[in-house]
Amino acid sequence: MSGRDSGADGGSDTGTILAAGCVLWRRSAQGGGVEVAVVHRPRYDDWSHPKGKLEHGEDALLGAVREVAEETGMSCAPGAALPTLHYVTKGRPKEVRYWAAEAVGDEPFVPNSEVDRLLWLSPDEARARLTYDHDRILVEALLTALWPS
């Protein structure tokens, strides 16, 4: 839990955009493995993990779970913390905290204004579909969290 204060636009006192999300996963129906959810955001025409800006004063983990629900319509059980990503977007630094999160329940995906498609893919297929290299790193981190060596 972060305890950080964020502004109305997901910004911190330092000007950094604060966001959170989850690498959403489920057990594969084919047995043994997992599938990773990837979402398509028409606004950016990209494939990513469910994530979004934190609301003012919002805890990062609660924000991550909220974003999964808003973007996918699904409930999830958060697990291990995954790497925090830092990058610059539109000239501002951005920090995105991530968690592994298992999808629970069987809510069907309904396209919405933020996400128009959701695919459940094998980890290899997810890495190939994701638009950004930093999102691919999170798939590796998920697998390490689920099956530590």
Side-chain angles (χ1 to χ4, degrees), residues 35-56:
E35 295 175 320
V36 177
V38 296
V39 297
H40 181 261
R41 302 179 305 166
R43 178 178 179 190
Y44 304 105
D45 190 24
D46 66 2
W47 289 92
S48 188
H49 300 290
K51 67 176 177 300
K53 293 177 187 171
L54 296 176
E55 295 175 359
H56 182 72

Side-chain angles (χ1 to χ4, degrees), residues 109-122:
F109 170 71
V110 177
N112 57 70
S113 62
E114 292 184 61
V115 172
D116 63 352
R117 289 182 278 169
L118 180 145
L119 298 175
W120 286 102
L121 302 171
S122 72

Side-chain angles (χ1 to χ4, degrees), residues 86-109:
H86 297 89
Y87 53 93
V88 175
T89 182
K90 297 181 183 177
R92 288 182 65 191
K94 186 170 187 177
E95 175 185 288
V96 188
R97 297 186 61 196
Y98 282 96
W99 284 265
E102 184 175 9
V104 295
D106 57 358
E107 300 95 343
F109 170 71

